[in-house]
Amino acid sequence: MSELLKLLEQDGRLTPEQLSVMLDKEVGDIRAMIDDYEKQGVILGYQALIDWDKTDREYVSALIELRITPQRDRGFDRVAEKIYNYPEVKSLYLMSGSFDLAVMIEGRTMKEVALFVAQKIAPMDAIVSTSTHFVLCKYKDKGIIYGSREVDERGNSPI
Amino acid sequence: MIDYSRIISPAARDIRPSGIRRFFDLLESMKDVISLTVGQPDFETPWHIREAGIESLEKGKTYYTSNRGTPELRNEISAYLARRFGLSYSPDNEIIVTVGGSEAIDISIRTIVSPGDEVIIPMPAFVCYEPLVELAGGKPVLISTREENSFKLTPEELRSAITPKTKLLILPYPNNPTGAIMTEEDLEPIADVLRDTDIAVLSDEIYSELTFGRKHVSIATLEGMRERTVVASGFSKAYAMTGWRIGYVCAPREISDNMIKVHQYAIMCAPTTCQYAALEAMRNGDEDIEYMKNEYDRRRRYIVSGLRSIGLECFEPEGAFYVFPNISGFGMTSEQFAEKLLYEKGVAIVPGNAFGECGEGNARISYAYSVNHISKALERIESFVKAYR
């Protein structure tokens, strides 16, 4: 039932009790459905969306474009696996177009990220070229606009 | 010094200020309040609709339109009303684009009501009808609808309110503040009371897209009703466009041709930018309505079940985005209840008597808020209810 998934995608903290009322279903059914989704790997996890710029954590992120020579039989999978096992790599996509893999990397400083690319990624056999783009400002992520505070601007005219 | 008492007209002077002004002043002076008072959607207008407004400005659409509104928009309103509610109005002479549903109500009343006419208003209701009737010199005749009738207007109540002076019945369903609706089965006996009379109906259908579980039925679709009915509606609630102030009013030509005179001298035409945005809304906004409606419906179920589980009696609303729980068991008036809740728990709700005396004993709670917001409010209301139960 995709409505349940959509609600959870918007707000992973909704409890089965809340969801059951909102969707007009038994709590037990909701629990079972969530359980199933988790077992089937449809729901992979629950995370908070954090604007690190508002904290004192030193933080940069970058998008690395990689061009790669695919390997016989395994295509891009083998090299992708080697890359995504690094905890610094936050996301990894195989792309159509002028490069092959898009890697999102997080680190404390630009230097740290650059070194990671130079020392860990670039030397891999299959890598033809790398191109690093640092994120300067995150405007919107996962459907949430960053930086905007939730202020209720609705005029409270009496009724 | 000029004597203002000689300047201000008695009609304006005698409009009663909202009885709960004091309550709202109090609310505004307080910080960290979780408010459930707002009577408008929390969604922003869908982007494609805003874009259409912006594009019209870029293209230099900055002139008056014809008094009734652009022909394109009137065509679209006509098609929309046929598509969604089975209503049939000619774009040429039966539809006027107005400055929100509010102007639609105002010009309807001003076109129909003469001094001394009686206007029947089922209460509790939105606050504008009574003063507008009085400004037109009419006499509001209030019917107190009852919670045990799910706040619907009954034919018996209507019949007993009719006199030879009755000119107009205002039918505000889906209802603000109760969330009540009138189904076809509810409307038929009302229509039956009116059929052989010269009484007109002003059907305020601004919440017509927000009914849950069943589709809204307009009284104008019932046999013999179209000829006497004025349908007032707008874009505010259906498309989350409150700030645009754009609505429309539909009536048989004989009525509409007179309404357009009031409209053209008071307003000229509805804002042009907003008409272009509204056009886009009606052309490509059905999915937006569906999305927002589903969202409201979930919140509705959430808040009704939440209120009931903490022991607040709550009639099941089937339309709009309000619940109207009964708080009469607490030994307080609605205002005392709302004020104490605000002072002690920092939650703001609207006392029911703001919508007429018969709203006493209830309170209006809006669920045009995120589930998270509602959930925090419910926690506080629960501890309040426990303390005073």
Side-chain angles (χ1 to χ4, degrees), chain B residues 339-359:
Chain B
E339 224 165 90
K340 259 192 171 12
L341 180 62
L342 179 60
Y343 268 132
E344 293 177 18
K345 301 292 173 189
V347 176
I349 59 179
V350 184
N353 61 316
F355 307 92
E357 275 164 38
C358 70

Side-chain angles (χ1 to χ4, degrees), chain A residues 88-120:
Chain A
E88 292 87 341
V89 173
K90 292 301 163 187
S91 43
L92 176 62
Y93 308 94
L94 178 61
M95 310 295 288
S96 66
S98 61
F99 61 96
D100 303 304
L101 290 178
V103 192
M104 290 298 302
I105 291 183
E106 285 178 7
R108 280 188 298 128
T109 61
M110 289 197 184
K111 191 171 173 190
E112 188 182 290
V113 170
L115 281 176
F116 174 78
V117 175
Q119 293 174 351
K120 308 283 168 127

Side-chain angles (χ1 to χ4, degrees), chain A:
Chain A
M1 189 180 127
S2 67
E3 224 181 331
L4 173 61
L5 290 176
K6 279 186 198 154
L7 283 176
L8 282 173
E9 190 187 26
Q10 274 172 29
D11 183 357
R13 291 210 307 170
L14 289 171
T15 63
E17 287 75 19
Q18 291 174 314
L19 289 163
S20 78
V21 174
M22 292 162 74
L23 296 171
D24 206 10
K25 290 253 187 310
E26 295 295 323
V27 185
D29 292 349
I30 296 284
R31 283 216 180 84
M33 280 192 276
I34 294 177
D35 241 29
D36 275 355
Y37 283 135
E38 289 174 353
K39 277 184 196 135
Q40 293 162 13
V42 176
I43 295 177
L44 294 164
Y46 306 85
Q47 297 182 329
L49 222 53
I50 296 168
D51 188 349
W52 289 112
D53 288 348
K54 293 225 173 94
T55 69
D56 53 11
R57 176 186 177 192
E58 272 191 290
Y59 172 87
V60 288
S61 63
L63 168 76
I64 326 290
E65 298 173 0
L66 300 180
R67 287 178 54 221
I68 288 174
T69 317
Q71 291 169 309
R72 185 192 302 265
D73 301 330
R74 306 237 16 212
F76 296 99
D77 294 354
R78 175 80 192 111
V79 63
E81 196 182 317
K82 277 169 80 176
I83 292 170
Y84 67 57
N85 277 324
Y86 287 105
E88 292 87 341
V89 173
K90 292 301 163 187
S91 43
L92 176 62
Y93 308 94
L94 178 61
M95 310 295 288
S96 66
S98 61
F99 61 96
D100 303 304
L101 290 178
V103 192
M104 290 298 302
I105 291 183
E106 285 178 7
R108 280 188 298 128
T109 61
M110 289 197 184
K111 191 171 173 190
E112 188 182 290
V113 170
L115 281 176
F116 174 78
V117 175
Q119 293 174 351
K120 308 283 168 127
I121 305 280
M124 288 182 192
D125 281 346
I127 307 288
V128 178
S129 71
T130 73
S131 171
T132 302
H133 310 271
F134 284 99
V135 173
L136 301 180
C137 174
K138 192 188 272 192
Y139 290 109
K140 187 175 181 180
D141 193 18
K142 309 266 195 301
I144 305 285
I145 295 169
Y146 276 57
S148 73
R149 279 191 312 130
E150 221 184 271
V151 180
D152 197 337
E153 289 183 357
R154 290 177 286 173
N156 209 343
S157 69
I159 314 117

Side-chain angles (χ1 to χ4, degrees), chain B residues 147-347:
Chain B
E147 191 161 358
E148 59 261 38
N149 296 332
S150 305
F151 295 109
K152 295 169 191 284
L153 175 66
T154 68
E156 296 76 30
E157 289 164 343
L158 175 59
R159 211 173 281 119
S160 67
I162 290 176
T163 75
K165 289 183 178 166
T166 303
K167 188 64 151 314
L168 178 68
L169 163 68
I170 295 178
L171 206 55
Y173 293 94
N175 184 272
N176 169 12
T178 63
I181 63 168
M182 292 281 281
T183 65
E184 190 166 359
E185 298 76 54
D186 300 323
L187 288 171
E188 183 49 47
I190 298 294
D192 212 42
V193 175
L194 298 171
R195 263 183 197 115
D196 295 322
T197 68
D198 280 328
I199 299 172
V201 178
L202 169 55
S203 187
D204 182 353
E205 305 186 12
I206 191 73
Y207 289 101
S208 57
E209 289 289 2
L210 298 180
T211 58
F212 308 108
R214 55 173 111 213
K215 270 200 96 70
H216 168 74
V217 175
S218 172
I219 193 167
T221 57
L222 271 56
E223 199 194 324
M225 286 298 112
R226 185 187 186 281
E227 60 176 30
R228 70 182 68 243
T229 301
V230 177
V231 175
S233 192
F235 296 79
S236 295
K237 307 299 176 357
Y239 299 99
M241 291 179 72
T242 47
W244 299 79
R245 310 309 306 122
I246 186 107
Y248 50 90
V249 61
C250 307
R253 181 172 186 177
E254 291 74 6
I255 301 177
S256 193
D257 278 349
N258 287 286
M259 286 171 60
I260 190 66
K261 292 184 275 181
V262 182
H263 171 77
Q264 75 185 5
Y265 292 124
I267 301 290
M268 188 71 79
C269 68
T272 302
T273 312
C274 307
Q275 291 193 48
Y276 280 95
L279 182 64
E280 167 64 19
M282 279 198 165
R283 280 190 178 152
N284 298 307
D286 285 10
E287 277 178 26
D288 301 312
I289 294 177
E290 216 46 43
Y291 168 78
M292 290 188 270
K293 188 170 114 164
N294 284 336
E295 198 67 29
Y296 290 128
D297 195 15
R298 289 185 201 121
R299 299 170 184 182
R300 178 182 71 103
R301 285 198 286 259
Y302 187 67
I303 199 162
V304 170
S305 117
L307 289 171
R308 285 179 179 164
S309 75
I310 62 183
L312 272 183
E313 242 179 275
C314 185
F315 140 84
E316 173 114 24
E318 291 183 85
F321 38 60
Y322 311 102
V323 280
F324 205 55
N326 189 313
I327 52 93
S328 59
F330 288 84
M332 298 180 227
T333 65
S334 294
E335 256 178 86
Q336 287 166 342
F337 185 91
E339 224 165 90
K340 259 192 171 12
L341 180 62
L342 179 60
Y343 268 132
E344 293 177 18
K345 301 292 173 189
V347 176

